Structure formats: C-alpha cells, structure tokens
Amino acid sequence: MSGRAQKQHPGRLTKRAEFLAVQRGQKLRGRLFLLELLRRGDDGPPRFGITVTKKAGNAVERNRMRRRLREAIRVHVADDMAPGTDYVIVARRDVLNAPFGALREELSRRIRGKKPARTG
C-alpha cells in the first residue's frame, strides 16, 4: 500500500432522525438545491442524504432528481466531503434541466464552502 491516506466513501443517511438532526446545522442556499450540513464531531466517513419534496414534481421526476444528485456525488463530489460531517441535499426542480456539469460544479462548490461567482 502507498503512504497516502485513503479517502473514505461517503455513507448514507437513512433514518428520519438523522435527517432532522442535520436541519439544526448550517444551511447553504443555491439555485439548484439547499445544502444542509452538520459536523458530528467524529472522524468517521461523511454521510449524505437527498430529499425531494412532492412539490418538485411527480414520482418519475423526483426519482430522476435523486439519481442525478447521487451520481454527481458518487463520481465527482465525494472527495470534497469532510470526514465527520453529515450532508442533506434538498433538491429544487431546476436540478432536472440543469446541465450535469453545472450541477456537479454547484454541488462541489457548495460542499467545499466557496460562494459562487456573481454573474450578470
């Protein structure tokens, strides 16, 4: 094995109580989603959960939003997540039509904690 520290894959939030606990943490609002995060105070792997309300669309659309966000996390954003932190992503309807690259960049920027550049 090499001397590099290996990144831990993010786990999943599965229980309602875990989602509710993250609501007490920091909130970062964006055009595509709301990101809630809570530092647990341990060095365990980061965990994430995705919420899509019925207001965002029908079941097919909500599932597509979840799949797009999960893929962005799996492929691109997992390395940006801090150990010992829980993340909840509350999707907005714009997630459906946003280019995947824009979705990935917005998610990565929010998780790293950098504000987006102002345009216009």
Side-chain angles (χ1 to χ4, degrees), residues 1 10 15 19 27 38 40-41 49 51 61-62 73 82-83 86:
M1 290 229 281
K15 295 180 175 63
F19 280 83
K27 292 175 176 39
L38 179 69
R40 294 188 311 264
T51 300
E61 294 167 330
R62 293 192 312 266
I73 289 169
D86 290 342

Side-chain angles (χ1 to χ4, degrees), residues 3-110:
R4 289 179 29 190
Q6 192 165 3
K7 277 297 230 184
Q8 296 177 329
H9 292 289
R12 298 286 294 274
L13 297 173
T14 57
K15 295 180 175 63
R16 185 172 195 276
E18 295 170 339
F19 280 83
L20 293 175
V22 177
Q23 280 185 337
R24 293 190 315 257
Q26 182 180 1
K27 292 175 176 39
L28 302 170
R29 289 169 179 78
R31 182 179 66 86
L32 301 175
F33 53 83
L34 165 69
L35 177 66
E36 300 173 330
L37 60 117
L38 179 69
R39 289 175 182 42
R40 294 188 311 264
D42 61 26
D43 288 333
R47 300 184 304 179
F48 75 93
I50 298 171
T51 300
V52 185
T53 65
K54 285 187 177 182
K55 187 168 69 170
N58 64 29
V60 172
E61 294 167 330
R62 293 192 312 266
N63 285 330
R64 189 178 311 138
M65 288 182 230
R66 279 189 209 98
R67 284 194 306 269
R68 293 189 88 206
L69 287 166
R70 267 197 311 263
E71 182 65 8
I73 289 169
R74 183 184 76 80
V75 175
H76 305 288
V77 182
D79 291 340
D80 294 332
M81 292 181 160
T85 305
D86 290 342
Y87 300 88
V88 172
I89 301 162
V90 182
R92 299 197 200 293
R93 187 164 177 80
D94 290 340
V95 166
L96 273 178
N97 300 318
F100 189 75
L103 174 63
R104 181 194 64 211
E105 288 301 317
E106 176 81 8
L107 191 56
S108 182
R109 183 173 41 243
R110 293 279 176 200

